[in-house]
Amino acid sequence: MRGILRDCERSVAIVGSRAARVESVGLAYELAKAWAARGDLIVSGGAIGVDAAAHRGALEGNGTTWAVLGSGVDVPYPSRHASLYDQIVAQGGAILSPFELGAPPIAHHFVQRNRVIAALADAVVVVAAETGSGSLHTARFAMDLGRRVLAVPGTRGADQLIAMGAAVCERAEDLDVARSAPPVAIDAGSDEAAVLAVLDVRVGRSTDEIALASGLSASRAGAALFELDLRGLAIALPGRIYVRSTVLAEAC
């Protein structure tokens, strides 16, 4: 890996939803541009939305980017990105695939593609992801491999990653100072994870507000808050207002 990267400082995978909001797509572009301009290799999956924005940002930053496909390298997918792939190669990047020539872009290929993206990266940044997103698979593969994982708050899947220990990324500088904490022993589908995902370190919320935001009943949200408080992951303020603890950030 190091021999392949040569002059690149590190490899950063930027992944996210195909249907991300304009703001998320713009942030992916700006992050990739900033990191590529200082010598980081940008890795992504070539998909529309966040992936394409990351590749284009890297090119605009006069950097290097790799696109990992869920099809053979001779089957550009999506086809509309054929010219983008040409630009990537022309600027010294690469189009990669774990599949043989002629392999079609079928659903289960993308899970394997996501494993490759995680393996190629020193850090994985999830810009926007809803629950069930393939980007979450990439992040979890990265966690299993001991890679750094960061997420931009604001979408359900990304917030769940942060609740599990991913570092918060809102600007390019966050990659330098943030370290993802070891995943906390909280089931991603538990009430505690749902509540932790909607807590904020700056803005306090009442139990009723937390219940509404998390989709839980008031009693279930209250029980989850009690458990999180015991574990040092939530802080109870006067008036039954709760904020997220900085314990995960302090572990970074």
Side-chain angles (χ1 to χ4, degrees), residues 58-81:
L59 295 173
E60 183 64 24
N62 293 316
T64 303
T65 183
W66 291 354
V68 185
L69 306 186
S71 58
V73 294
D74 61 332
V75 184
Y77 181 82
S79 58
R80 73 178 76 173
H81 286 170

